[in-house]
Amino acid sequence: MIVEDNDADVFLIQEALAGTGLRIELEILLDGEQAIDFFERVEHDPDLSCPTLIILDINLPKKQGGEVLKQIRRGPKCSAAPVLVVSTSDSQPDRERMASLGADGYFRKPSEYEEFMKLGAIAKKWLGPQSS
Amino acid sequence: MTQSEVEGIQLLVSGTGDGHQYTRTILDALPVAVYTTDAQGRLTYFNPAAVTLSGRVPQLGSDQWCVTWRIYDENGTLVPHDRCPMAMLLQNIAVEPGGEYQAERPDGTRFWFMPYPALLRDADGKVTGGINVLVDTTERRNRELRAHEQFRAIIETTPECVKIVAPNGDLLFMNPSGLEMIGATRPDDVTGRSVYDLIMPEHREFYREFNERICRGEKGTLEFDIVGFAGERRNMETHAAPLRYFDGNTVQLAVTRDVTERKRQDRAALLLSAIVDSSDDAIVSKDLNGVITSWNKAAERLFGYTAAEAVGRPVAELIIPADRQEEEPQILSRLRRGERVDHFETKRQCKDGTLLDISLTISPVKDAKGTIIGASKIARNITESKRIQAALAASESQFRQLADAMPQIVWTAGPDGRVDYYNERWYEFTGFDRNTFGDISWEGILHPGDLQRCRATWYEAVKSGEPYNIEYRFFDRANQQWRWFVGRALPVRDESGTIVKWFGSCTDIDQQKRVQEDLRRANQDLEQFAFSASHDLQEPLRTVKIYSELLLKRHADALSGEAHKFLGFVHGAATRMELLIRDLLAYTHAAKIEAASEAIDSNEAFHSALADLAGLISETGAQITADHLPSVRVHSTHLQQLFQNLIGNAIKYRSRERTPEVHVAAERQQDEWIFSVRDNGIGIDPEYKENIFGLFRRLHSSDEYSGTGIGLAICRRIMDRYHGRIWVESEPGRGSVFRFSFPA
């Protein structure tokens, strides 16, 4: 699951994940509100399950990444789901705030392609070989 | 009659034999009572003196043992005739010699006598009878008794304490006055107790020595204090002499006087004379004719006449100026009526003719019967205080004129903090009525939120004597709004350092305060804007950069040479912009970090900076050296940034012709540390010495030397924050020295 409004970054994240060689089914949500709706539904609908990994941007339209993360951690189903925050910001307050809300990792979006591709290796630790 | 005379009589009788006519004639003629008995005690002879003494005619042959009618011992107990000394002797019963007896005559009169019984023996030594000589001691007894009674009466009626003290301090006797002196009620309260217990502890030891000395036979006098039974301390003066006591010991006989009152009066008199002598006011007494009777030291100083010159002369003649002569009769007539004259201000003349302003207080002096016999006069020189008063009034009026001309509110308060004056501004601002002046009227117009703080500050200042500076709001009646003021107050002290006045002002800083607040808000907004802007700018830039890179990487074949070149520009520009944004962020951060509370080691900051510059240093082969650097009170991030920017610049603007060398040092000058970063680079044209610290100031094109033009602006901003300085000294082509200073 990727929550990211910037198509350019969605593309780069997909490239990075593809680089892991794992077969991954990706769902992309483009704003915070959609994401909050989705995670509310997951909690109430027995047929829906929590994504294996949630890659979450901080700066999102409508609702910010922080609020999405709060919603994720609210329900019993996703309370333990791995969340990897991605952001252009390198500021310490941002890192600390997301960590305190329950983020499992923080990846600063770099401005070089090769650097960006390192996201794949980071994501891989939560996406075991059994993932689909 | 002496013992030997008695013995002579006894010998006479025993030696010549009873009944001898010659002996009888002698015995009959004796003025002392003599009688004889046979061995059984039956009377065989008595002389006429025995009849006179006993008051009866004894019966020869039937009276046994005695000639007297009734006998009593010294204690007044009746002694049976067969137990009289004569009877005892004849019956061979031992009896103490020397006893005195009383006998009663048939007519009831009594007399004292001493019996001298002796045995009569024949040639073989056999007891044939007894002889007794009765010596009348009545007159001696009476004499002794009278003397004893007199002595007792003296002891009991004397107002002094009479006491007898044993060598070990035990009180053997004390008379009623003594008991009264110590507050005891009965002799049993003290006799047998140690006298030392009555002595004040601090006098006990020397009293003990004194007692022992007297008991060794010396006479002496001593002053000491006792503490009576009621607990009060009293001063005593004792005169003591040794006394041979009946038990054979030498003890102390002391006559002691209570001198508490006398001492108190002595002290009071001494104190009074000391007071009079040490007074700064002239104290003079005179009789009702105005003739001086005493003249103290201050009077000598003030008027210039010695006591010897003044006493005995009329006051009027000595110190009253000619034009005030009428004052004296008026004063004297008031005194005669028993009136006081208080603080009468007048002038008096000194010996040298100088006229003094004097304040007089004159009171009548009465004798023990209440008759007015003269006057005591206290004269105070008020010449100086009059002058000061006048000067003070003048300076006060000047002060008020000045205060009224000031744009601030001005007030004064007494040392106790009570406001006693406000200038015109106060009444204009508050609209208060001058006639209903109130010490704490300021509290009424103070903002309720500031009231407690202001009160606390003001009363604390009054207590500690420290000046203060405090901001608060007053209600502006004219504009119906609160206005900010800064209140300041300073204590004014006299030569001895005592606060005599508080001087305070209230300055309207409302406008200034608003401007400051607006400025602070604007600054805050600006920083917030710069911070968010640089963050939000980074995001699209990153996309531009990364996709231009991807385009070049993946679609190189599809692009023309010119497209390659253009994409290169795009990528380069994006990279530069990224740097700019990073430095701008650093710039806005430079002043944000909280004040450093502890001194940090500059050497550590220096080495951290080198670590961050490691790439550049190894790339250029730069030689970086440093002296040992001091500790300064700076935030370590800031110091590191200063080193990093300055050393970074030093390497960046290196000369093509030589290996870059950078040396960092620090030097103490007065109360600051001056750091220097010296390089051998291209140097800076003096024209640009100031410019280079501005934001986005660059002296070179980015082709020559890359840079954002923010580094030195960051340094300046950091130094501003610490109220330090940063400047450069340079020789173009040879190198530069950047210096910055921190308070030590």
Side-chain angles (χ1 to χ4, degrees):
Chain A
M1 157 83 60
I2 299 171
V3 188
E4 170 64 80
D5 63 315
N6 185 346
D7 289 341
D9 285 344
V10 172
F11 177 78
L12 291 169
I13 293 167
Q14 280 173 323
E15 290 244 317
L17 292 177
T20 61
L22 298 169
R23 207 173 62 80
I24 298 164
E25 196 180 298
L26 274 175
E27 183 152 0
I28 294 148
L29 300 175
L30 293 172
D31 69 46
E33 208 168 69
Q34 280 183 31
I36 287 172
D37 286 350
F38 172 81
F39 286 105
E40 267 177 1
R41 265 186 287 119
V42 168
E43 291 300 334
H44 294 114
D45 190 339
D47 295 338
L48 290 175
S49 60
C50 202
T52 319
L53 173 66
I54 303 148
I55 294 176
L56 177 66
D57 187 20
I58 294 179
N59 275 316
L60 292 169
K62 295 183 184 171
K63 292 278 162 76
Q64 288 281 357
E67 286 173 74
V68 177
L69 184 50
K70 273 190 212 161
Q71 175 60 44
I72 295 171
R73 293 301 182 222
R74 194 168 290 149
K77 266 190 190 168
C78 297
S79 61
V83 175
L84 176 58
V85 172
V86 292
S87 171
T88 313
S89 164
D90 193 24
S91 86
Q92 199 56 31
D94 279 349
R95 286 175 180 272
E96 281 164 11
R97 187 165 158 271
M98 298 314 281
S100 74
L101 290 174
D104 297 284
Y106 190 101
F107 182 75
R108 186 198 167 207
K109 296 176 190 168
S111 52
E112 290 85 26
Y113 179 76
E114 288 307 326
E115 290 294 315
F116 208 120
M117 290 306 111
K118 287 179 181 166
L119 174 66
I122 292 164
K124 201 171 174 179
K125 52 179 183 187
W126 288 290
L127 301 166
Q130 76 282 7
S131 307
S132 57
Chain B
M1 174 149 254
T2 66
Q3 182 71 27
S4 60
E5 285 169 328
V6 171
E7 278 168 10
I9 295 168
Q10 287 169 346
L11 192 70
L12 182 71
V13 176
S14 60
T16 54
D18 181 28
H20 195 282
Q21 191 53 47
Y22 175 66
T23 311
R24 275 195 82 114
T25 309
I26 295 171
L27 292 178
D28 282 349
L30 277 175
V32 58
V34 180
Y35 70 90
T36 58
T37 67
D38 61 17
Q40 283 70 45
R42 272 187 299 270
L43 221 58
T44 53
Y45 166 80
F46 58 86
N47 70 352
V51 175
T52 314
L53 184 66
S54 64
R56 64 189 282 268
V57 180
Q59 298 298 303
L60 290 176
S62 61
D63 278 6
Q64 204 176 8
W65 316 119
C66 305
V67 289
T68 47
W69 189 55
R70 279 180 183 159
I71 309 173
Y72 303 90
D73 64 14
E74 267 184 310
N75 301 320
T77 313
L78 188 69
V79 179
H81 279 192
D82 61 357
R83 283 285 173 268
C84 79
M86 184 66 168
M88 301 288 271
L89 183 69
L90 285 169
Q91 291 169 93
N92 206 20
I93 300 170
V95 67
E96 189 98 351
E100 216 170 352
Y101 293 84
Q102 205 176 17
E104 190 177 357
R105 298 185 182 99
D107 67 2
T109 57
R110 289 189 179 203
F111 63 93
W112 284 92
F113 69 97
M114 278 182 79
Y116 293 91
L119 293 173
L120 297 173
R121 295 171 195 271
D122 62 14
D124 301 329
K126 186 172 165 274
V127 173
T128 58
I131 176 171
N132 200 356
V133 181
L134 306 183
V135 178
D136 185 351
T137 59
T138 309
E139 198 170 327
R140 182 182 55 80
R141 286 285 301 208
N142 284 344
R143 226 171 29 234
E144 275 179 10
L145 198 66
R146 269 199 308 278
H148 178 78
E149 274 304 303
Q150 278 170 3
F151 179 69
R152 194 185 57 80
I154 291 168
I155 296 292
E156 293 202 347
T157 53
T158 182
E160 328 273 20
C161 163
V162 177
K163 65 178 187 292
I164 298 173
V165 181
N168 67 354
D170 283 352
L171 200 61
L172 301 170
F173 168 80
M174 183 176 270
N175 72 340
S177 295
L179 297 177
E180 195 182 320
M181 236 175 242
I182 63 172
T185 46
R186 297 174 306 126
D188 291 353
D189 289 346
V190 289
T191 44
R193 288 181 53 180
S194 174
V195 75
Y196 301 145
D197 293 344
L198 294 167
I199 315 286
M200 283 304 289
E202 64 264 37
H203 293 171
R204 225 167 258 170
E205 202 39 48
F206 69 69
Y207 184 85
R208 184 195 300 275
E209 283 166 20
F210 175 77
N211 185 45
E212 287 167 4
R213 211 165 63 234
I214 302 298
C215 292
R216 279 200 302 272
E218 291 179 32
K219 282 184 172 179
T221 301
L222 185 74
E223 286 196 5
F224 60 95
D225 293 354
I226 62 157
V227 54
F229 281 21
E232 89 281 35
R233 183 184 188 128
R234 304 203 66 86
N235 311 121
M236 296 288 154
E237 182 188 87
T238 197
H239 300 275
L243 174 72
R244 182 92 178 154
Y245 205 50
F246 73 89
D247 61 4
N249 283 322
T250 300
V251 297
Q252 179 199 168
L253 171 67
V255 177
T256 308
R257 182 175 299 159
D258 186 333
V259 293
T260 312
E261 189 58 20
R262 195 193 74 202
K263 290 220 152 197
R264 198 187 60 74
Q265 284 171 1
D266 286 355
R267 278 196 298 272
L270 267 174
L271 188 64
L272 187 64
S273 88
I275 291 170
V276 170
D277 265 353
S278 65
S279 168
D280 265 346
D281 293 334
I283 301 176
V284 173
S285 63
K286 60 181 180 185
D287 64 18
L288 283 177
N289 298 316
V291 174
I292 294 163
T293 50
S294 79
W295 185 264
N296 75 344
K297 293 237 162 44
E300 293 185 340
R301 285 196 296 274
L302 187 61
F303 298 114
Y305 294 99
T306 65
E309 289 172 319
V311 172
R313 289 178 64 187
V315 172
E317 193 182 288
L318 204 65
I319 53 172
I320 301 180
D323 58 345
R324 289 181 183 262
Q325 283 291 332
E326 78 285 358
E327 281 176 6
E328 181 67 359
Q330 287 168 9
I331 291 169
L332 287 175
S333 73
R334 286 182 66 180
L335 283 172
R336 285 195 195 95
R337 292 199 299 272
E339 290 173 22
R340 266 172 72 94
V341 179
D342 269 326
H343 304 300
F344 172 60
E345 292 196 5
T346 180
K347 284 185 188 296
R348 288 293 179 261
Q349 196 157 21
C350 299
K351 193 178 182 184
D352 65 5
T354 319
L355 280 177
L356 298 176
D357 287 306
I358 294 286
S359 165
L360 281 182
T361 295
I362 309 173
S363 13
V365 173
K366 296 175 183 169
D367 67 8
K369 288 185 211 131
T371 314
I372 295 162
I373 51 166
S376 90
K377 186 153 93 171
I378 300 177
R380 172 168 295 182
N381 183 2
I382 52 168
T383 311
E384 184 65 4
S385 68
K386 278 219 144 182
R387 195 188 60 72
I388 291 171
Q389 257 175 24
L392 211 62
S395 101
E396 182 140 326
S397 125
Q398 274 176 0
F399 164 74
R400 291 192 176 205
Q401 277 180 15
L402 185 70
D404 282 341
M406 281 170 85
Q408 283 109 329
I409 292 168
V410 172
W411 51 268
T412 62
D416 60 353
R418 295 174 72 85
V419 177
D420 52 20
Y421 163 78
Y422 286 114
N423 70 345
E424 276 304 301
R425 291 292 88 66
W426 172 256
Y427 297 104
E428 283 167 14
F429 180 75
T430 59
F432 287 157
D433 180 1
R434 279 167 197 72
N435 301 318
T436 55
F437 172 85
D439 161 48
I440 53 164
S441 54
W442 54 275
E443 291 195 352
I445 60 159
L446 201 60
H447 192 284
D450 301 335
L451 184 58
Q452 273 316 104
R453 190 167 50 90
C454 287
R455 265 192 202 152
T457 307
W458 172 226
Y459 294 122
E460 182 52 40
V462 169
K463 219 164 75 184
S464 68
E466 291 296 318
Y468 70 82
N469 195 328
I470 183 176
E471 292 184 2
Y472 49 77
R473 286 156 287 180
F474 270 154
F475 191 71
D476 177 3
R477 196 180 50 93
N479 299 304
Q480 292 293 303
Q481 62 175 29
W482 296 104
R483 292 187 75 80
W484 279 101
F485 279 79
V486 60
R488 295 190 184 88
L490 284 172
V492 179
R493 296 171 190 271
D494 65 11
E495 316 84 72
S496 70
T498 312
I499 293 173
V500 290
K501 203 93 181 157
W502 281 88
F503 175 85
S505 66
C506 317
T507 309
D508 188 336
I509 52 158
D510 203 64
Q511 190 64 26
Q512 183 189 339
K513 194 85 178 165
R514 277 176 212 285
V515 170
Q516 263 176 10
E517 182 56 24
D518 289 351
L519 193 66
R520 195 188 60 78
R521 214 171 285 147
N523 261 328
Q524 206 177 6
D525 289 352
L526 197 67
E527 264 174 30
Q528 187 56 41
F529 168 77
F531 185 73
S532 329
S534 34
H535 259 102
D536 293 345
L537 283 172
Q538 269 182 333
E539 186 133 337
L541 198 60
R542 190 173 46 76
T543 308
V544 170
K545 208 183 146 201
I546 211 162
Y547 278 93
S548 57
E549 184 190 342
L550 210 51
L551 206 56
L552 280 168
K553 232 177 213 158
R554 296 226 184 133
H555 304 282
D557 299 346
L559 295 172
S560 67
E562 198 175 47
H564 264 281
K565 191 170 140 192
F566 290 174
L567 269 176
F569 289 156
V570 169
H571 189 261
T575 305
R576 253 183 60 67
M577 182 125 182
E578 200 177 29
L579 276 176
L580 270 167
I581 289 168
R582 193 199 62 205
D583 284 356
L584 258 181
L585 260 177
Y587 181 79
T588 51
H589 271 283
K592 266 192 160 174
I593 297 172
E594 293 295 306
S597 56
E598 279 170 34
I600 57 121
D601 184 357
S602 313
N603 299 291
E604 278 178 27
F606 169 72
H607 288 294
S608 304
L610 289 196
D612 280 354
L613 293 166
L616 185 63
I617 292 169
S618 67
E619 200 178 290
T620 57
Q623 302 288 313
I624 319 286
T625 54
D627 292 348
H628 183 75
L629 302 173
S631 288
V632 281
R633 300 177 73 87
V634 190
H635 202 284
S636 61
T637 316
H638 286 153
L639 190 58
Q640 187 186 328
Q641 184 130 42
L642 283 164
F643 283 139
Q644 201 169 317
N645 290 0
L646 295 176
I647 298 169
N649 278 355
I651 300 172
K652 196 191 287 176
Y653 301 104
R654 63 187 175 275
S655 165
R656 307 267 180 235
E657 292 144 25
R658 29 184 200 267
T659 309
E661 281 169 17
V662 184
H663 183 74
V664 178
E667 188 186 342
R668 178 78 182 254
Q669 274 189 12
Q670 274 104 45
D671 46 4
E672 53 182 19
W673 279 107
I674 298 182
F675 285 81
S676 61
V677 178
R678 179 187 300 275
D679 65 49
N680 60 351
I682 57 174
I684 296 159
D685 190 319
E687 199 185 325
Y688 301 110
K689 257 170 71 168
E690 283 303 314
N691 262 344
I692 52 170
F693 295 103
L695 203 52
F696 303 121
R697 294 300 172 138
R698 308 191 68 243
L699 301 181
H700 307 276
S701 72
S702 44
D703 291 348
E704 266 183 300
Y705 296 98
S706 64
T708 57
I710 300 177
L712 288 177
I714 292 173
C715 292
R716 160 71 66 83
R717 195 166 157 111
I718 289 171
M719 294 317 297
D720 283 350
R721 187 189 171 289
Y722 290 100
H723 308 291
R725 293 170 297 139
I726 184 164
W727 69 100
V728 66
E729 290 154 18
S730 181
E731 226 180 298
R734 305 197 58 168
S736 310
V737 191
F738 280 84
R739 294 182 203 276
F740 54 98
S741 66
F742 283 115

